[in-house]
Every structure is written in structure tokens, then in C-alpha cells.
Amino acid sequence: MSTLLDRLTVHGKCVLMNYDDGLAEGPLVFNEVSVHPSFALKVAAEGGCQGIVLHKGFAERFYHNLAEGLQAPLIVRLNGRTVLRKDHDLHVTQIASVEEAVHLGAEAVAT
């Protein structure tokens, strides 16, 4: 029986598509193409990523609609922060629970 760790690693290594930086860093880290989650999922599928890390909102709205051909399991990030607040409070806030991640079809979570 294959475990998640077996699916996430190839020869003991893994490549994850991390598409959760937009919340923390704001729109400056994206261009007109890379801002669309469909772009990230396409890159993950074509690049052979072993997993894709998304925030709850992206997972809810885009993962299952755009994940065709993607063999990588969904990993939901449970917390987040942003530099977009004027007071630059970088306090990390929980934005999803493990139960919500499982409901979205996540096979793992990240913090």
C-alpha cells in the first residue's frame, strides 16, 4: 500500500509547487500570467511536482476545477500573514483547520 510519503517523494526527494506566497507578499510577486491559479496548476502538472500548497480559498475555488492532469496531492496551508497591512503586523493567523483541509480533499497540511 502506497503512503502519502511515498507519493510525495521520488528517490527520497520532493518538489512542491508553493502557491501561497501571494497572501503574504501581496500582488508584487506575480505578473499578469502567474497571478492566475490555473497557471500554477499547469506548471505543477507539467513539471511533475509531487504536491501543491494552496491556501484554503484557492483550494476551494480552483483546485478541483483546474487540477485535471495533476497527479500532485493537495496540501492546504493552515495559516497566513500579509505585508499589506499598514501597521506591518506580521502576526501569523490560522485561516483553516485540519478538518477543513480534509473536507477540501487535502492529503496533507502545511503551517
Side-chain angles (χ1 to χ4, degrees):
M1 176 155 85
S2 175
T3 67
L4 177 61
L5 189 57
D6 293 332
R7 288 186 61 203
L8 287 177
T9 60
V10 175
H11 304 296
K13 299 182 184 202
C14 104
V15 175
L16 301 176
M17 168 61 79
N18 180 10
Y19 194 72
D20 61 351
D21 287 342
L23 178 67
E25 304 303 326
L28 299 177
V29 298
F30 297 105
N31 62 34
E32 290 180 14
V33 175
S34 66
V35 73
H36 299 287
S38 59
F39 174 79
L41 292 172
K42 180 179 178 196
V43 169
E46 291 175 358
C49 291
Q50 284 83 35
I52 184 158
V53 183
L54 299 173
H55 279 291
K56 174 185 163 186
F58 280 127
E60 287 174 331
R61 184 154 185 214
F62 298 105
Y63 182 76
H64 294 291
N65 295 330
L66 300 174
E68 184 176 331
L70 182 64
Q71 300 299 312
L74 173 63
I75 301 167
V76 172
R77 184 163 176 105
L78 301 181
N79 58 14
R81 64 173 181 80
T82 184
V83 297
L84 298 177
R85 289 183 53 165
K86 292 182 194 254
D87 62 0
H88 297 290
D89 178 10
L90 297 180
H91 176 73
V92 176
T93 303
Q94 182 174 346
I95 56 176
S97 67
V98 171
E99 291 78 15
E100 290 171 312
V102 169
H103 179 74
L104 291 170
E107 295 188 44
V109 296
T111 60

